[in-house]
Amino acid sequence: MTEEQVTAAIRGVTDPELGISVVDLGLIYGIRLGERRVDIDMTLTSPGCPMARLIASDVEEAIRQAFPEAEVSVHIVWDPPWSADRLSSDARRALGYEG
């Protein structure tokens, strides 16, 4: 299990309001791997996001599907605060940040 494989597994998880991958939105702040363990640090676009639990649960489930033997923990963090600077170029285009 590599960081790239974990990233690929969660790339299919989308923000239900925006329809864009959590990876492309820049919500994934860190992936820590241990022997049969994955810890994800992620944020949300705003602290009051009503979809926080759903998105974190979807990330956890995507990893469990890809790596059924892994113990998975998803941690919501707020530091540093999310900003649009974290958007991938695809997300920028989809959200109209590039013209």
Side-chain angles (χ1 to χ4, degrees):
M1 181 170 46
T2 66
E3 188 173 326
E4 292 80 16
Q5 290 171 320
V6 172
T7 300
I10 59 178
R11 187 169 290 284
V13 176
T14 60
D15 178 297
E17 293 179 318
L18 299 173
I20 297 173
S21 163
V22 296
V23 173
D24 287 326
L25 286 172
L27 301 182
I28 305 303
Y29 279 6
I31 299 171
R32 292 181 307 284
L33 303 174
E35 191 170 322
R36 299 176 62 180
R37 178 162 185 83
V38 180
D39 282 279
I40 302 290
D41 289 338
M42 67 174 290
T43 197
L44 301 162
T45 56
S46 72
C49 178
M51 305 311 258
R53 278 201 173 121
L54 176 65
I55 295 170
S57 176
D58 288 352
V59 167
E60 184 175 331
E61 184 58 27
I63 297 168
R64 288 187 195 283
Q65 290 289 321
F67 307 100
E69 74 288 350
E71 185 178 331
V72 181
S73 293
V74 176
H75 313 276
I76 303 293
V77 298
W78 301 109
D79 189 32
W82 181 87
S83 76
D85 294 339
R86 297 192 52 86
L87 294 169
S88 72
S89 58
D90 289 340
R92 286 182 172 287
R93 277 191 296 281
L95 293 172
Y97 279 88
E98 293 181 357

